[in-house]
Amino acid sequence: MKKPNFQAWLQQKVSDDSEVILAGKLEYLRLYLTDAMREIRNKAGLTQTQLAKKLGVQQAAVSKLESALKEHELESVLHYLHALGADLLVAVKQGDELYQASDNEGSLLVDVPDVVAQKALAANMSVREYVRVAIEKFSSEDDGLRTALVKLLESDDSVAVKVRARLGTRTIQEVAVELEKCLSLFEEEDRLFSVKNVLAANVAVGESNRGTSDEIDEIELLDLAEELLRKLTEVLG
């Protein structure tokens, strides 16, 4: 059974009635959950009767669990999967926020864009493998950037000395994390004012509130921010 693009399915306009929309989501969940359950049992080389014996239930109970037309108790599904050495991965999505409810943090819980699937295919990898490798690569690059920032801030460079004078109660590691966020901004002006805000230590990173200190100190902060950005460009390329 080929699973369609879940994101595309969710975007389809089926009704304005919230009850109809909910019924559709439940139908989708039952259909593909039971399909996955049957596939896992078949891969384990077990019949419904054999699995029922492992679970201590009648064959009819397993048949009911594998039917998309029946209601399912979460506990029964978990027992079914546990007997086959499988887990149910659960996440709750609200807007752009994803809340993981299961204890397996290392697995993908959401669909990925088609372009990612195509790149995984070109690399002769599964989507999960491709994404994990990409995350590991990104993480290692991220650690490398932070290490370079810390090394610069700890150096005897004149700019680093000026920056350390403004650390206050913050550590170099904490400031490096904030500067890392600044460098991820696309626009040069945004990066400049974000770095200035980090140096001011009283404005959240990413904001461009230019009226947070007196005029003289504001100019000094901007000058130092420009110096620091130039130095970061030299050091980090």
mmCIF file of all heavy atoms in Angstrom, residues 9-25:
data_model
loop_
_atom_site.group_PDB
_atom_site.id
_atom_site.type_symbol
_atom_site.label_atom_id
_atom_site.label_comp_id
_atom_site.label_asym_id
_atom_site.label_seq_id
_atom_site.Cartn_x
_atom_site.Cartn_y
_atom_site.Cartn_z
ATOM 1 N N TRP A 9 -2.073 15.884 1.340
ATOM 2 C CA TRP A 9 -3.398 15.425 1.757
ATOM 3 C C TRP A 9 -4.027 16.390 2.755
ATOM 4 O O TRP A 9 -5.202 16.716 2.668
ATOM 5 C CB TRP A 9 -3.271 14.034 2.388
ATOM 6 C CG TRP A 9 -4.585 13.439 2.811
ATOM 7 C CD1 TRP A 9 -5.460 12.731 2.072
ATOM 8 C CD2 TRP A 9 -5.175 13.538 4.117
ATOM 9 N NE1 TRP A 9 -6.548 12.373 2.821
ATOM 10 C CE2 TRP A 9 -6.401 12.851 4.078
ATOM 11 C CE3 TRP A 9 -4.774 14.141 5.320
ATOM 12 C CZ2 TRP A 9 -7.232 12.740 5.180
ATOM 13 C CZ3 TRP A 9 -5.611 14.035 6.420
ATOM 14 C CH2 TRP A 9 -6.819 13.344 6.352
ATOM 15 N N LEU A 10 -3.227 16.863 3.694
ATOM 16 C CA LEU A 10 -3.744 17.784 4.703
ATOM 17 C C LEU A 10 -4.192 19.112 4.094
ATOM 18 O O LEU A 10 -5.086 19.784 4.606
ATOM 19 C CB LEU A 10 -2.673 18.065 5.759
ATOM 20 C CG LEU A 10 -2.476 16.991 6.833
ATOM 21 C CD1 LEU A 10 -1.363 17.410 7.762
ATOM 22 C CD2 LEU A 10 -3.750 16.743 7.604
ATOM 23 N N GLN A 11 -3.569 19.509 2.983
ATOM 24 C CA GLN A 11 -3.876 20.786 2.363
ATOM 25 C C GLN A 11 -5.143 20.745 1.504
ATOM 26 O O GLN A 11 -5.625 21.774 1.073
ATOM 27 C CB GLN A 11 -2.688 21.239 1.509
ATOM 28 C CG GLN A 11 -1.464 21.601 2.343
ATOM 29 C CD GLN A 11 -0.227 21.817 1.501
ATOM 30 O OE1 GLN A 11 -0.271 21.690 0.283
ATOM 31 N NE2 GLN A 11 0.894 22.131 2.143
ATOM 32 N N GLN A 12 -5.641 19.538 1.254
ATOM 33 C CA GLN A 12 -6.843 19.422 0.437
ATOM 34 C C GLN A 12 -8.058 19.971 1.177
ATOM 35 O O GLN A 12 -8.244 19.720 2.353
ATOM 36 C CB GLN A 12 -7.092 17.964 0.049
ATOM 37 C CG GLN A 12 -6.061 17.391 -0.907
ATOM 38 C CD GLN A 12 -6.349 15.945 -1.244
ATOM 39 O OE1 GLN A 12 -7.385 15.415 -0.875
ATOM 40 N NE2 GLN A 12 -5.424 15.312 -1.942
ATOM 41 N N LYS A 13 -8.880 20.718 0.455
ATOM 42 C CA LYS A 13 -10.087 21.299 1.036
ATOM 43 C C LYS A 13 -11.219 20.288 0.899
ATOM 44 O O LYS A 13 -11.746 20.056 -0.185
ATOM 45 C CB LYS A 13 -10.435 22.597 0.290
ATOM 46 C CG LYS A 13 -11.675 23.308 0.814
ATOM 47 C CD LYS A 13 -11.374 24.086 2.066
ATOM 48 C CE LYS A 13 -12.568 24.968 2.441
ATOM 49 N NZ LYS A 13 -12.319 25.759 3.657
ATOM 50 N N VAL A 14 -11.584 19.638 2.007
ATOM 51 C CA VAL A 14 -12.636 18.627 1.930
ATOM 52 C C VAL A 14 -13.968 19.147 2.475
ATOM 53 O O VAL A 14 -15.033 18.719 2.048
ATOM 54 C CB VAL A 14 -12.232 17.352 2.705
ATOM 55 C CG1 VAL A 14 -11.070 16.677 2.022
ATOM 56 C CG2 VAL A 14 -11.892 17.680 4.158
ATOM 57 N N SER A 15 -13.898 20.083 3.407
ATOM 58 C CA SER A 15 -15.127 20.595 4.009
ATOM 59 C C SER A 15 -14.800 21.774 4.914
ATOM 60 O O SER A 15 -13.659 21.950 5.350
ATOM 61 C CB SER A 15 -15.807 19.490 4.822
ATOM 62 O OG SER A 15 -16.912 19.993 5.546
ATOM 63 N N ASP A 16 -15.827 22.577 5.193
ATOM 64 C CA ASP A 16 -15.682 23.648 6.176
ATOM 65 C C ASP A 16 -16.143 23.188 7.550
ATOM 66 O O ASP A 16 -16.002 23.909 8.535
ATOM 67 C CB ASP A 16 -16.513 24.871 5.744
ATOM 68 C CG ASP A 16 -15.940 25.539 4.497
ATOM 69 O OD1 ASP A 16 -14.703 25.575 4.386
ATOM 70 O OD2 ASP A 16 -16.731 26.011 3.658
ATOM 71 N N ASP A 17 -16.722 21.995 7.595
ATOM 72 C CA ASP A 17 -17.242 21.441 8.836
ATOM 73 C C ASP A 17 -16.100 20.802 9.625
ATOM 74 O O ASP A 17 -15.446 19.868 9.156
ATOM 75 C CB ASP A 17 -18.314 20.400 8.525
ATOM 76 C CG ASP A 17 -19.066 19.956 9.773
ATOM 77 O OD1 ASP A 17 -18.444 19.923 10.851
ATOM 78 O OD2 ASP A 17 -20.269 19.659 9.661
ATOM 79 N N SER A 18 -15.858 21.292 10.827
ATOM 80 C CA SER A 18 -14.753 20.779 11.631
ATOM 81 C C SER A 18 -14.915 19.297 11.944
ATOM 82 O O SER A 18 -13.928 18.558 12.041
ATOM 83 C CB SER A 18 -14.618 21.581 12.935
ATOM 84 O OG SER A 18 -15.801 21.457 13.712
ATOM 85 N N GLU A 19 -16.153 18.839 12.102
ATOM 86 C CA GLU A 19 -16.400 17.428 12.399
ATOM 87 C C GLU A 19 -16.019 16.544 11.213
ATOM 88 O O GLU A 19 -15.483 15.447 11.380
ATOM 89 C CB GLU A 19 -17.872 17.216 12.771
ATOM 90 C CG GLU A 19 -18.284 17.847 14.087
ATOM 91 C CD GLU A 19 -17.502 17.284 15.263
ATOM 92 O OE1 GLU A 19 -17.238 16.067 15.274
ATOM 93 O OE2 GLU A 19 -17.143 18.056 16.167
ATOM 94 N N VAL A 20 -16.293 17.029 10.006
ATOM 95 C CA VAL A 20 -15.939 16.279 8.800
ATOM 96 C C VAL A 20 -14.425 16.213 8.654
ATOM 97 O O VAL A 20 -13.852 15.174 8.312
ATOM 98 C CB VAL A 20 -16.564 16.930 7.549
ATOM 99 C CG1 VAL A 20 -16.083 16.232 6.272
ATOM 100 C CG2 VAL A 20 -18.086 16.867 7.623
ATOM 101 N N ILE A 21 -13.755 17.347 8.919
ATOM 102 C CA ILE A 21 -12.296 17.399 8.842
ATOM 103 C C ILE A 21 -11.682 16.425 9.841
ATOM 104 O O ILE A 21 -10.749 15.678 9.523
ATOM 105 C CB ILE A 21 -11.792 18.826 9.110
ATOM 106 C CG1 ILE A 21 -12.273 19.766 7.993
ATOM 107 C CG2 ILE A 21 -10.267 18.858 9.199
ATOM 108 C CD1 ILE A 21 -11.986 21.221 8.254
ATOM 109 N N LEU A 22 -12.203 16.415 11.074
ATOM 110 C CA LEU A 22 -11.698 15.512 12.100
ATOM 111 C C LEU A 22 -11.910 14.059 11.699
ATOM 112 O O LEU A 22 -11.015 13.218 11.862
ATOM 113 C CB LEU A 22 -12.393 15.787 13.432
ATOM 114 C CG LEU A 22 -12.039 14.843 14.591
ATOM 115 C CD1 LEU A 22 -10.546 14.891 14.879
ATOM 116 C CD2 LEU A 22 -12.840 15.192 15.832
ATOM 117 N N ALA A 23 -13.091 13.759 11.150
ATOM 118 C CA ALA A 23 -13.386 12.386 10.725
ATOM 119 C C ALA A 23 -12.404 11.936 9.650
ATOM 120 O O ALA A 23 -11.949 10.788 9.632
ATOM 121 C CB ALA A 23 -14.823 12.297 10.206
ATOM 122 N N GLY A 24 -12.048 12.854 8.755
ATOM 123 C CA GLY A 24 -11.096 12.524 7.697
ATOM 124 C C GLY A 24 -9.723 12.214 8.258
ATOM 125 O O GLY A 24 -9.054 11.273 7.817
ATOM 126 N N LYS A 25 -9.285 13.006 9.241
ATOM 127 C CA LYS A 25 -7.983 12.768 9.857
ATOM 128 C C LYS A 25 -7.961 11.436 10.601
ATOM 129 O O LYS A 25 -6.966 10.699 10.559
ATOM 130 C CB LYS A 25 -7.641 13.912 10.813
ATOM 131 C CG LYS A 25 -7.335 15.229 10.110
ATOM 132 C CD LYS A 25 -6.936 16.309 11.113
ATOM 133 C CE LYS A 25 -6.560 17.606 10.393
ATOM 134 N NZ LYS A 25 -6.147 18.659 11.335
#
